[in-house]
């Protein structure tokens, strides 16, 4: 007999099963990576200032970008379904339970007075009884209170060595925290990273390893200076120059202290198990010593040198920028943009054609540019050597129309695409990276035309002193007056913008400190190729290699005040004009005295004074030393000897080239060892509309707002505490009203962590949805209530057995749950070893919700109530083992609720473990592995599900008049549903017969009688069927209890809808273009949907046949 339609309906209604299926699909999604965009032709492309790539900040090929977009489409598709499932995670199965749960939740969230913790800070929490108003139901504020201060005071987070000070035999596991910037509070992206890291740290600690998670913050030079300068101007209308360097730096230190404390408070609130005694800061004394040692050593070896090259220049901040600090705005054509310092919007996305006159003739040559103001810096024109149109012009000069006396050689260069545009390219060597190379090849003049603050300088004739983008317009008018203007056309392009100021980046030539990268990069690629470092997922490794192969030298200088001042000194020789671009007169030193000693050896008796470079180092330089500087290198400490190299670096894929690669290069160079053995790159968190998190959009979320909840008005108020423009505040407010109309509900830390870990599939970026997190709060309540039930089931003075091993007296249900327990432990341990984070949450969730709560606890209630004393004790012992292991199993995911509940459980004799933090993590136990018991009990569950499904489908859950099975009370009538179970194998018959009471208990109160039929018995009359498996079919008597014609009519309508859906799905799957667009995971999901529709169609057809038969029976 085919499976009844009710089977399909039952599965659809089971939210936990849906979540499991979707999460497993999410787990397999592949992260193909994507990067930032490259700049457009002649658009001020990025030159590698601090970003060492040769194509700006494009760290992915176009092919990889396409692959990533495909993966993100899959991920969004799956995450939407996961969100729906997660939102329904702990929904009760009946309206009565649902209303009760909502009422309880309302009491917790709305009616409870403010929770006041009575435990003195640092003491072990004073547990309150469950009848306390704050503890009747799960209340995250109460549950999470007091535990962290006790954990920290007791030193549970410090690395545990053997008695002789060595790493424990189980090994070590060390992570140095990717240091958050002290620019402001943490956001949800930090919460994701820290949840993953703490999960691994706690899991490894519970495996018995010597474990260290070392915390620290980054000074974030340009970001912090920028935010402090903006705040200073907004509050006092002062600039840093008004304060002076030392006073301004003191002001930044005050900012740092304030936000450093806020960051650490968030880390503690979210349960991060750091060893705070080893905390570091990138500008503290020890890290400064490491920075100086590295710079001086590399300068002495000639790896660091000084040169005059193009950099990315922000005229607002007046500093060079790394490529990471530059954002490319993609334009499809003419666009007007708001630019800082300009009252009117400025035109971009056009290409302007104009002509230069040829010296001594009436001829002209046409060129084109997207940055017409840069023509004032033109010093040459390039054409292809084989372009017949210009062969006679090669070697001649064009004349500049606005700069008197400037002649521009026309040169031949194969770089020029003769079929692109006019085939003639204007050359501005001092303001374009491609032109820079052309200028060097053809020995052209390098003429800078901009001041540091974006004005035209003395090389621009009549335009001197004007703003660069004002000149963009006036110069077009002047060209028209001379008859040299040709045309203006739309031109798709990327405009490079400063991430902080939103200013347009200007390529300028500046004397800077540079670092040779090629040899270091080759070594860094080798260690990954050799397997000394594993980079996950695979797409991130590909990006790493691509970037390293195209690496350029790294510009280290930043024209800032906040940061590590470069430990290099220029020898100012008396009586001479000192050229600071001359590398020979720069001397590095760990101290000024050391630099002076070096200078004296070179300069002999020449009189000189030393002047330290006022610039500071790129933030990434000090960050690149983080894995070993945090262990107090260059000192050869015990920590460095025993805990370095570290085990894992967990970070976002977007800073793989900018930070991770540099740590590998500098680690190998300065210590001779790799800094870590594994890199895991997590996805980026986007909002529910899949937009990148941005303060200007109002979608940046403080994790503490999710933990404690926040009103919509409070979210609005926070926008005014930052540096947002009034227009951005208006836009952000609008988004907040849409995304959080009722504010953000209180979710608690444990729900937040579990949701973020569950999001981590290794696939596309994460579409964040607060409803998913709030749904997991309900899961926390499920855990809480399950533990309350267990504690309530324990007799007074209950002492657990010494171990959780089987006694031989266990019922089938007990054998089944112990089997599920040991396989869950095996699965989670493997998933975490393989870094399959989403899968690990699926397994632990499934064990808790589907196996322990929904099945075993429900089954145990009848045994504990009605069983013999021996049966009761066995059921309770198994319940204790199943719950105790479940708490330890989920602890690394949910540290607070598990400690709160674990501390309430009695301990086994001889177990003196003070905290679940130090408890042993469950491992696979072969003695608990019982596949036969699993198969038998799965049959019991399948039969029970079939009965519930049929009663639900035909609304027969409640007691109703019906005739008992003939084998029960022949000829009599009673209240309840009549159920028949037809068995097709001896093993199944034995199981069902022995477990009839369990079947009835799991099927609900609506079952009056169960009759077991053999395979030879006829199909019972007046019944509908549910096929459990090839071994069993369940029948429910419905004749005279339902409107058969009405049911046939409903089924026919559903059948037609299913046929339409099936036809649509087949058409889609057979479309080659559609198959081309989607990835393998989405294909798998769509194939599964097709299979489900086919199964549903067959079930409906069988349902109709059943009712047709009932009409004639």
């Amino acid at each position: 007999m085919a499976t009844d339609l009710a089977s399909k309906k039952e599965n659809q209604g089971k939210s936990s099963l849906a979540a499991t299926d979707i999460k497993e699909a999410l787990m397999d999604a592949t992260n193909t990576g994507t990067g930032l965009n490259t700049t457009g032709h002649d658009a001020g492309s990025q030159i590698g200032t601090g970003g060492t790539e040769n194509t700006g900040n494009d760290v992915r090929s176009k092919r990889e970008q396409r692959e990533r977009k495909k993966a993100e489409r899959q991920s969004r598709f799956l995450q939407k379904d996961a969100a729906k499932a997660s939102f329904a995670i702990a929904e009760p199965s009946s309206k009565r339970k649902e209303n009760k749960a909502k009422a309880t939740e309302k009491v917790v969230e709305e009616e409870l007075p403010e929770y006041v913790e009575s435990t003195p800070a640092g003491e072990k929490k004073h547990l309150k009884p469950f009848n306390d108003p704050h503890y009747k139901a799960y209340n995250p504020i109460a549950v999470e209170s007091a535990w962290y201060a006790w954990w920290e005071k007791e030193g549970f987070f410090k690395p545990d060595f053997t008695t002789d000070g060595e790493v424990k035999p189980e090994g070590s596991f060390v992570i140095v925290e990717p240091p958050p910037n002290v620019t402001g509070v943490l956001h949800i992206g930090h919460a994701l990273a820290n949840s993953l890291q703490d999960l691994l740290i706690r899991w490894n600690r519970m495996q018995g390893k010597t474990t260290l998670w070392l915390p620290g913050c980054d000074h974030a030079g340009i970001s912090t200076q920028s935010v402090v300068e903006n705040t200073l101007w907004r509050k006092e209308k002062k600039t840093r120059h008004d304060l002076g360097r030392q006073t301004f730096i003191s002001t930044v230190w005050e900012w740092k202290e304030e936000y450093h404390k806020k960051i650490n408070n968030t880390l503690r609130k979210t349960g991060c198990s750091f060893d705070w005694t080893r905390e570091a800061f990138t500008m503290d004394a020890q890290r400064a010593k490491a920075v100086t040692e590295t710079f001086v050593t590399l300068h002495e070896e000639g790896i660091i040198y000084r040169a005059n090259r193009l950099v990315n220049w922000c005229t607002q901040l007046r500093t060079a920028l790394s490529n990471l600090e530059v954002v490319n705005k993609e334009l499809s054509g003419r666009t007007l943009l708001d630019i800082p310092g300009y009252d009117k919007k400025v035109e971009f996305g056009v290409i302007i054609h104009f002509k230069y006159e040829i010296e001594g003739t009436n001829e002209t040559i046409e060129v084109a540019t997207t940055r017409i103001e840069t023509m004032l810096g033109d010093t040459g024109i390039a054409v292809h050597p084989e372009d017949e149109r210009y062969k006679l012009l090669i070697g001649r000069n064009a004349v500049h129309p606005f700069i008197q006396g400037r002649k521009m050689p026309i040169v031949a260069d194969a770089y020029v695409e003769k079929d692109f545009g006019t085939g003639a390219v204007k050359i501005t060597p001092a303001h374009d990276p491609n032109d820079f190379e052309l200028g060097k090849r053809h020995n052209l003049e390098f003429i800078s035309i901009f001041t540091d603050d974006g004005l035209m300088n003395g090389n621009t004739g009549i335009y001197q002193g004007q703003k660069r983008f004002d000149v963009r317009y006036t110069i077009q008018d002047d060209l028209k007056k001379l008859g040299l203007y040709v045309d203006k056309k739309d031109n798709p392009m990327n405009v490079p913008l400063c991430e902080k100021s939103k200013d347009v980046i200007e390529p300028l030539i500046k004397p800077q400190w540079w670092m040779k990268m090629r040899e270091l990069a080759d070594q860094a690629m080798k260690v990954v190729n050799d397997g000394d470092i594993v980079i996950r997922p695979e797409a991130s490794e590909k990006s790493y290699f691509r970037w390293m192969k195209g690496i350029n030298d790294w510009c280290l200088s930043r024209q800032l005040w906040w940061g590590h001042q470069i430990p290099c000194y220029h020898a100012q020789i008396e009586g001479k004009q000192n050229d600071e671009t001359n590398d020979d007169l720069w001397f590095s030193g760990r101290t000024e005295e050391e630099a002076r000693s070096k200078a004296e050896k070179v300069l002999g008796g020449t009189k000189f004074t030393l002047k330290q470079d006022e610039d500071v180092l790129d933030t990434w330089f000090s960050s690149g030393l983080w894995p070993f500087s945090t262990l107090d290198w260059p000192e050869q400490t015990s920590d460095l000897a025993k805990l370095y190299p570290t085990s894992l670096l967990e970070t976002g894929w977007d800073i793989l080239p900018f930070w991770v690669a540099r740590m590998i290069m500098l680690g190998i160079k300065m210590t001779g060892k790799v800094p870590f053995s594994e890199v895991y790159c997590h996805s980026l968190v986007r909002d529910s509309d899949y937009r990148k998190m941005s303060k200007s959009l109002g979608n940046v979320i403080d994790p503490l707002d999710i933990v404690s909840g926040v009103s919509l008005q409070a979210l609005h108020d926070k926008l005014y505490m930052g540096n947002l423009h009034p227009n951005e505040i208006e836009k952000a407010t609008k988004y907040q009203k849409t995304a959080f109309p009722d504010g953000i509900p209180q979710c608690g830390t444990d729900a937040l962590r579990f949701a973020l870990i569950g999001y981590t599939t290794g696939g596309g970026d994460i579409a964040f949805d607060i409803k998913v997190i709030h749904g997991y709060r309900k899961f926390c309540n499920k855990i809480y209530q399950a533990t309350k039930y267990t504690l309530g089931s324990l007799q007074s003075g209950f002492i657990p057995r010494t171990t959780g091993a089987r006694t031989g007296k266990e019922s089938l249900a007990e054998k089944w749950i112990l089997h599920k327990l040991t396989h869950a432990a095996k699965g989670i341990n493997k998933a975490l070893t393989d870094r399959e984070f989403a899968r690990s949450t699926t397994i632990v969730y499934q064990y808790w919700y589907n196996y322990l709560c929904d099945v075993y606890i429900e089954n145990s209630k009848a045994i504990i109530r009605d069983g013999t004393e021996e049966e009761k004790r066995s059921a309770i012992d198994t319940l204790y083992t199943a719950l105790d292991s479940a708490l330890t199993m989920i602890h690394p995911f949910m540290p607070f609720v598990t400690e709160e509940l674990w501390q309430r459980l009695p301990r086994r004799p001889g177990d003196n473990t003070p905290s679940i933090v130090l408890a042993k993590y469950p491992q696979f136990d072969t003695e608990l592995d019982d596949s036969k018991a699993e198969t038998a009990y799965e049959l019991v569950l399948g039969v029970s599900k079939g009965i519930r499904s049929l009663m639900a489908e035909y609304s027969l859950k409640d007691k109703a008049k019906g005739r008992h099975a003939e084998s029960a009370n022949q000829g009599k009538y009673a209240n309840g549903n009549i159920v028949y179970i037809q068995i097709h194998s001896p093993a199944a018959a034995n199981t069902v017969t022995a477990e009839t009471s369990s079947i009835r208990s799991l099927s609900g109160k609506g079952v009056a009688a169960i009759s077991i039929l053999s395979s030879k018995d006829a199909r019972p009359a007046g019944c509908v069927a549910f096929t459990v498996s090839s071994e069993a079919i369940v029948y429910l008597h419905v004749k005279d209890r339902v409107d058969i014609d009405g049911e046939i009519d409903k089924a026919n309508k559903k059948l037609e809808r299913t046929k339409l859906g099936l036809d649509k799905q087949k058409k889609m799957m057979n479309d080659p273009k559609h198959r081309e667009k989607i990835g393998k995971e989405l294909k798998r999901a769509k194939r599964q949907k097709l299979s489900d529709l086919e199964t549903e169609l067959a079930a409906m057809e069988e349902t109709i046949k059943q009712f047709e038969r009932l009409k004639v029976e």
Side-chain angles (χ1 to χ4, degrees), residues 383-400:
V383 298
H384 194 280
E386 297 177 2
D387 194 330
E388 296 294 336
R389 296 172 294 177
Y390 302 118
K391 275 195 172 181
L392 294 178
L393 295 180
I394 295 172
R396 304 183 70 177
N397 293 322
V399 178
H400 202 288

Side-chain angles (χ1 to χ4, degrees), residues 204-428:
N204 276 280
R205 186 184 290 122
M206 295 172 79
Q207 304 279 354
K209 295 181 181 179
T210 299
T211 307
L212 171 64
W213 191 16
L214 195 152
C217 284
D218 195 303
H219 66 280
I222 190 168
S223 297
T224 305
Q225 177 164 319
S226 176
V227 73
V228 174
E229 283 194 85
N230 288 339
T231 303
L232 186 65
W233 178 257
R234 191 177 69 251
K235 290 183 177 180
E236 302 180 28
K237 290 295 183 283
K238 291 182 179 179
T239 69
R240 59 175 161 139
H241 301 284
D242 294 328
L243 269 63
R245 185 162 186 153
Q246 293 307 315
T247 302
F248 178 76
I249 290 175
S250 297
T251 302
V252 184
W253 273 106
E254 291 173 4
W255 177 281
K256 175 266 175 190
E257 290 301 320
E258 178 184 352
Y259 281 91
H260 197 156
K261 289 177 182 176
K262 290 181 178 179
I263 288 168
N264 288 356
N265 177 58
T266 299
L267 294 174
R268 287 181 167 95
K269 288 279 189 181
T270 51
C272 299
S273 57
F274 291 113
D275 178 3
W276 292 103
T277 65
R278 288 172 164 84
E279 185 182 8
F281 177 57
T282 52
M283 277 181 60
D284 64 25
Q286 187 60 40
R287 264 42 68 183
K289 184 184 292 185
V291 166
T292 300
E293 179 66 29
T294 302
F295 186 96
V296 173
T297 299
L298 298 181
H299 184 246
E300 289 173 343
E301 294 182 15
I303 294 173
I304 290 178
Y305 62 97
R306 192 167 178 83
N308 209 26
R309 291 184 180 175
L310 278 176
V311 298
N312 294 319
W313 188 262
C314 174
T315 65
Q316 282 290 111
L317 301 177
R318 301 186 193 183
T319 183
L321 298 178
S322 74
N323 288 342
L324 186 63
E325 294 154 336
V326 177
V327 177
N328 284 302
K329 186 174 183 64
E330 188 175 351
L331 306 179
S332 59
R334 182 178 183 272
T335 307
L336 297 177
L337 299 179
D338 284 312
I339 305 299
Y342 290 84
D343 296 330
K344 296 182 179 179
K345 292 186 176 184
V346 180
E347 181 181 58
F348 291 88
V350 296
I351 188 165
I352 297 169
H353 291 251
F354 69 99
K355 295 180 290 187
Y356 279 122
E357 294 179 339
I358 306 300
E359 182 185 25
T361 72
N362 293 324
E363 295 180 76
T364 60
I365 186 168
E366 184 180 328
V367 294
T369 180
T370 59
R371 301 157 64 218
I372 188 64
E373 64 277 8
T374 64
M375 65 89 68
L376 295 171
D378 286 356
T379 59
I381 297 171
V383 298
H384 194 280
E386 297 177 2
D387 194 330
E388 296 294 336
R389 296 172 294 177
Y390 302 118
K391 275 195 172 181
L392 294 178
L393 295 180
I394 295 172
R396 304 183 70 177
N397 293 322
V399 178
H400 202 288
F402 304 124
I403 308 299
Q404 188 174 1
R406 186 185 297 176
K407 297 178 181 179
M408 299 174 290
I410 299 173
V411 300
D413 198 294
Y415 161 80
V416 179
E417 298 178 40
K418 61 182 180 179
D419 297 326
F420 183 79
T422 65
V425 177
K426 63 186 280 295
I427 306 174
T428 319

Side-chain angles (χ1 to χ4, degrees), residues 932-952:
K932 289 183 179 179
E934 180 188 37
T935 300
Y937 202 63
E938 297 290 355
L939 178 61
V940 171
L941 295 176
V943 169
S944 304
K945 185 180 81 170
I947 295 169
R948 293 196 311 272
S949 179
L950 290 173
M951 290 193 299

Side-chain angles (χ1 to χ4, degrees), residues 188 191-192 195-196 751-760 766 768:
I188 199 68
L192 167 66
S195 296
L196 295 174
L752 171 63
R753 288 169 57 117
F754 196 82
L756 292 174
I757 295 167
Y759 269 132
T760 307
I766 294 166
F768 171 84

Side-chain angles (χ1 to χ4, degrees), residues 788-856:
K788 276 183 67 177
Y789 165 76
T790 300
L791 289 168
S793 299
L794 305 181
Q795 295 177 349
S796 177
F798 172 81
I799 300 175
R801 292 173 46 244
T802 306
T803 72
R806 278 172 49 170
T807 63
K809 299 177 181 179
E810 288 81 8
S811 65
L812 180 62
E814 291 174 66
K815 294 175 184 177
W816 176 83
I817 192 62
L818 293 173
H819 172 85
K820 291 296 186 183
L821 165 64
T822 199
H823 274 271
K826 180 180 182 180
I828 296 168
N829 284 317
K830 184 178 188 307
L832 293 181
T833 299
D834 296 340
R835 309 302 184 235
E836 293 180 343
F837 297 108
R839 181 163 178 76
S840 69
T841 62
T842 296
I843 296 169
V844 74
Y845 171 84
Q846 190 177 50
Y847 173 74
W848 262 102
Y849 201 100
N850 296 95
Y851 303 149
L852 180 57
C853 294
D854 275 7
V855 177
Y856 183 72

Side-chain angles (χ1 to χ4, degrees), residues 126-138:
H126 300 170
L127 296 176
K128 296 180 180 179
F130 285 128
N131 60 8
D132 183 285
H134 288 282
Y135 288 89
K136 286 182 179 179
Y138 173 69

